[in-house]
Amino acid sequence: MLVFSASDKGGTGRSVTSVNIAYQLSMDGLKVAYLDFDFGSPTVGAIFEISRIDRGTPDDDGLHSYLLGDTAPAGRLSVRSETDRTELRHSRHPSGRLVLFPGDRGGGEFANIDEATVRRCTELLVTCEQEFDVTLVDLSAGRSIALMLALRSTGMPQLSAAVVRWLVFHRWTRQHIVAANGLVHGPHGLLETGAACRHDPELLLESIRYVRTAVPELNEPAGLRPAQAAWLQEQNATLNRAATRYQLGTTVVLGETPVEPMLQWREQVILDADVSARIANEKTVLAFRKLAAGLTNPAIWERLGE
């Protein structure tokens, strides 16, 4: 399964949520690859707390170099073997794997892509499909070259049999709802660009689900004045109506994550040890687990697509 994480805006929690989904999948015993396609800002290594690649690999063997044809094969590393965090190294499933394909430090966004770049990307995705149960590809925000590259590669015959899913992340605000709609349905968006890359727009639409991030907990209005609590309830109802109007209603939502103070201060993998220490909230971990379970459950996707 190939899963592409996209967002129209930065600051949606796309990367940190995707990293936590990948971690939860590996804890379920799956072999998981994580590809950092945020070429201009490859910081997934920092989220996994691998300090030597916190801004991408300095070894000129990252995904940017690979796609340019400067190195082969693409560099990879085991997250649990390389992380600086002891608890993450020791937190594992006997059958699970979590492998990071980092970007290059200072690689930068591509100005354009040619057929050779598409071929190398397709070959990489085919390799990951054969070796891993789930491959998560973290794309740059917006209508980026990374998004175009993903669409062109998955439109190639070599990947015609692959299960491909798209997660579009947005915060629970009107501006982010509008932006997410534009990324999918707007000019040069996912559907329009996908059609130009030999995708069936209807099938592509069925493969897209939304993840709402940093959604406030309405049942815990601690510290709010009555007027504030009432306003929050009203805004939530308004946002639900807007989501439906902009084609982001509940039938196409895979899940949501709550506001998590720990992640507001530090983007990282949240472990059970963080919950036990009462640093992180259990509901956040449960949200990540629900997203991971939903991602790999065909019945849920079939039901959402009805």
Side-chain angles (χ1 to χ4, degrees):
M1 178 188 298
L2 301 174
V3 181
F4 295 91
S5 296
S7 64
D8 194 56
K9 287 177 170 287
T12 62
R14 180 195 70 244
S15 294
V16 71
T17 305
S18 298
V19 161
N20 276 278
I21 291 172
Y23 169 74
Q24 292 298 333
L25 290 169
S26 74
M27 291 299 289
D28 287 337
L30 299 181
K31 298 185 290 292
V32 182
Y34 198 103
L35 278 56
D36 191 349
F37 266 41
D38 192 349
F39 302 119
S41 182
T43 55
V44 170
I47 301 176
F48 280 125
E49 299 184 62
I50 306 173
S51 58
R52 71 179 185 87
I53 58 165
D54 57 359
R55 290 180 290 113
T57 176
D59 300 327
D60 297 325
D61 64 347
L63 289 173
H64 193 277
S65 295
Y66 165 77
L67 292 169
L68 287 175
D70 296 335
T71 185
R76 61 167 73 185
L77 50 86
S78 166
V79 169
R80 289 183 173 87
S81 297
E82 298 284 345
T83 183
D84 303 328
R85 191 177 182 192
T86 303
E87 298 90 344
L88 180 54
R89 285 202 303 271
H90 295 160
S91 178
R92 64 178 66 237
H93 186 285
S95 302
R97 292 174 58 199
L98 185 52
V99 175
L100 173 62
F101 290 71
D104 286 272
R105 183 170 298 182
E109 288 285 359
F110 291 89
N112 52 61
I113 51 177
D114 56 21
E115 294 302 322
T117 303
V118 174
R119 175 181 54 78
R120 284 188 285 268
C121 183
T122 303
E123 291 173 353
L124 174 62
L125 295 177
V126 168
T127 297
C128 288
E129 263 289 274
Q130 295 170 343
E131 185 176 347
F132 298 93
D133 298 309
V134 181
T135 297
L136 282 104
V137 185
D138 188 358
L139 303 174
S140 308
R143 295 158 179 77
S144 63
I145 288 289
L147 179 69
M148 170 69 82
L149 183 58
L151 286 166
R152 288 188 62 180
S153 297
T154 52
M156 298 295 285
Q158 299 94 308
L159 290 169
S160 61
V163 175
V164 179
R165 291 176 177 165
W166 292 81
L167 297 182
V168 176
F169 293 79
H170 66 89
R171 293 178 67 87
W172 194 225
T173 71
R174 176 179 171 79
Q175 291 87 345
H176 280 263
I177 289 171
V178 172
N181 169 270
L183 179 64
V184 174
H185 298 277
H188 309 296
L190 247 171
L191 297 179
E192 184 178 292
T193 306
C197 296
R198 298 184 289 190
H199 289 274
D200 181 325
E202 291 186 6
L203 294 178
L204 182 57
L205 182 60
E206 291 177 3
S207 72
I208 299 170
R209 299 292 180 266
Y210 299 89
V211 179
R212 300 172 178 176
T213 61
V215 178
E217 176 56 69
L218 300 179
N219 296 323
E220 296 182 8
L224 295 179
R225 295 187 293 274
Q228 291 175 320
W231 182 88
L232 190 61
Q233 292 280 354
E234 179 182 346
Q235 294 308 306
N236 186 64
T238 300
L239 289 174
N240 275 302
R241 290 192 294 270
T244 300
R245 187 167 64 253
Y246 283 101
Q247 300 169 280
L248 279 68
T250 55
T251 58
V252 289
V253 173
L254 184 64
E256 62 183 42
T257 65
V259 175
E260 172 54 60
M262 184 180 193
L263 296 181
Q264 290 179 311
W265 287 94
R266 193 168 190 265
E267 295 186 333
Q268 64 176 70
V269 178
I270 295 185
L271 307 175
D272 288 340
D274 300 315
V275 176
S276 299
R278 302 182 67 82
I279 300 171
N281 293 320
E282 183 179 12
K283 61 187 177 184
T284 305
V285 173
L286 293 176
F288 292 145
R289 288 176 181 165
K290 183 177 179 181
L291 287 168
L295 186 60
T296 56
N297 186 342
I300 289 180
W301 284 74
E302 290 168 5
R303 185 170 67 248
L304 285 173
E306 291 178 353

